[in-house]
Amino acid sequence: MRIGVLTGGGDAPGLNAAIRAVARRAFQLGHQVSGVKNGWAGALAGDMIDLEPRDVRGILPLGGTILGTSRTNPLKEPDGVPRVVRCLQRFGVDGLVAIGGDDTLSVAARLHEVPYPVVGVPKTIDNDLAGTEFCIGFDTAVGIVVEALDRLHTTASAHHRVMVVEVMGRDTGWVAMAGGLAGGADLVLIPEFEVSLEEVVRHLHRRRGEGKDFSIIVVAEGVHLPGLDLGDGGPADAFGHVQLARRGVGDALSRYIEQETGFETRVTVLGHLQRGGSPSALDRIWATRLGVAAVDLLVGGETGVAPVRRDGGVCVVPLSDLVAGQRRVPRELYELARVFG
Ligand code: F6P
């Protein structure tokens, strides 16, 4: 069998570990592997390469993806899905492992309906896929936020400042919440739970009143803070997403705080630092487990499914479940963070 492997959407640390796992398991079972370049863009254009064992050697610790990625959406192209299938078949690819978040996997789910054999692997630093408790890349991103918060603590404390730290996560607050909890933020603002600007100001005054003369606020890029004047995020991409970072919530919030409280305030926007560089051990391990499991499923004749982490083990869910809605931060975690305000 010839197995195709593709990485789509925003890159995430651990993609290369997943590609390696797919390829190594396929080779071990006596199959061939094709790499699709640049996500669905390469699948539409027939941009594919044969992967040999030497191509996946030494890539386990590398960030990015050796295959490249894109936010191309075949569902927006005339005849997009049949074109993808025709290209894959022309290159002799019998089945595909699609490594991606909700956008990439929603296209994979459509391929399955054609029908074309496809198995997904969940990755996104946002960690927001329904049906799984973990997406490849999330752990590394959180680690980067935590390291940043540790560093910002010392400078915030030295200058008695308020530090506003804007993190990624799109419409959910997983990166902000996990990063804020592990990095000791005293306020975490996420899209799931609305907080007023007055509450933010009250929080800062209360801390000063208690003798705490600095503050660390983690704000998710997609948070709603009624009354704050934000940018519009620019034009939407092929999956309908605007660039939330362009709303500039961290910058707007820090200006507001300084103006309302008089406390010296600085903003740090962590941006793509959260997606770059070497994956954590946890991301490598899960990329490996899920990549191998994906090949086993495909070779075993399963399609339209994805291996995911559930209760600490690997279980298999339909792709349609994985992309049905978003996994949101539960109130329990939000309340936990408030203990440390
Ligand atoms: O989905 C991953 C993610 O990093 C989001 O957290 C962020 O909003 C978005 O991608 C940024 O996308 P881009 O790299 O295209 O600007």
Side-chain angles (χ1 to χ4, degrees):
M1 173 174 193
R2 177 168 286 278
I3 295 173
V5 57
L6 161 157
T7 52
D11 70 320
L15 283 177
N16 284 322
I19 294 167
R20 168 183 175 266
V22 168
R24 292 284 291 271
R25 181 59 163 171
F27 297 144
Q28 185 190 34
L29 298 175
H31 302 293
Q32 286 91 46
V33 180
S34 291
V36 182
K37 302 292 291 291
N38 304 319
W40 296 119
L44 281 165
D47 192 3
M48 296 181 214
I49 47 166
D50 287 357
L51 289 181
E52 303 296 337
R54 66 169 176 277
D55 297 318
V56 294
R57 226 167 264 148
I59 66 170
L60 175 65
L62 293 187
T65 157
I66 58 163
L67 295 175
T69 187
S70 70
R71 294 199 186 278
T72 300
N73 183 359
L75 307 181
K76 287 283 159 67
E77 303 282 325
D79 223 17
V81 171
R83 249 166 74 203
V84 165
V85 172
R86 276 198 305 274
C87 277
L88 290 166
Q89 287 171 339
R90 184 149 40 89
F91 281 80
V93 176
D94 303 300
L96 181 69
V97 175
I99 308 168
D102 54 346
D103 296 338
T104 305
L105 297 184
S106 63
V107 178
R110 291 288 287 274
L111 249 64
H112 166 67
E113 286 167 13
V114 168
Y116 181 83
V118 59
V119 170
V121 171
K123 77 80 210 163
T124 164
I125 67 157
D126 303 337
N127 208 34
D128 59 352
L129 284 176
T132 176
E133 60 194 38
F134 180 83
C135 299
I136 297 166
F138 173 64
D139 185 64
T140 310
V142 170
I144 291 163
V145 173
V146 173
E147 191 194 334
L149 294 186
D150 288 349
R151 290 176 186 280
L152 289 168
H153 261 94
T154 60
T155 170
S157 146
H159 284 268
H160 321 297
R161 283 173 171 161
V162 177
M163 289 288 183
V164 173
V165 188
E166 181 185 314
V167 305
M168 284 183 168
R170 205 153 255 166
D171 299 314
T172 63
W174 288 103
V175 177
M177 184 49 67
L181 276 171
D186 54 81
L187 187 61
V188 183
L189 302 172
I190 58 175
E192 285 87 341
F193 301 96
E194 200 166 286
V195 169
S196 68
L197 289 169
E198 293 71 29
E199 279 175 81
V200 174
V201 167
R202 265 203 307 277
H203 164 84
L204 293 169
H205 278 303
R206 180 181 55 73
R207 279 180 60 86
R208 293 278 160 146
E210 291 169 355
K212 299 167 183 163
D213 62 0
F214 74 94
S215 239
I216 307 276
I217 301 180
V218 174
V219 57
E221 61 179 359
V223 78
H224 311 290
L225 286 168
L228 204 59
D229 197 16
L230 299 178
D232 66 359
D237 68 15
F239 286 94
H241 305 298
V242 298
Q243 286 180 47
L244 289 174
R246 280 176 52 166
R247 297 195 318 149
V249 70
D251 188 48
L253 180 62
S254 72
R255 285 167 197 270
Y256 177 86
I257 287 172
E258 200 162 71
Q259 187 187 308
E260 288 298 311
T261 64
F263 302 153
E264 216 184 349
T265 306
R266 296 289 186 270
V267 62
T268 303
V269 180
L270 289 178
H272 290 81
L273 286 174
Q274 293 160 99
R275 290 204 334 226
S278 200
S280 67
L282 196 71
D283 277 328
R284 293 181 199 196
I285 289 167
W286 278 97
T288 302
R289 289 185 75 171
L290 299 180
V292 167
V295 169
D296 288 347
L297 287 165
L298 206 54
V299 169
E302 299 263 2
T303 170
V305 293
V308 300
R309 188 180 99 180
R310 176 94 50 89
D311 299 329
V314 177
C315 88
V316 180
V317 298
L319 278 175
S320 50
D321 286 4
L322 210 52
V323 297
Q326 269 172 342
R327 200 166 71 98
R328 321 270 295 162
V329 173
R331 180 165 285 282
E332 179 206 344
L333 267 187
Y334 181 67
E335 296 297 344
L336 178 66
R338 290 172 72 100
V339 172
F340 302 94

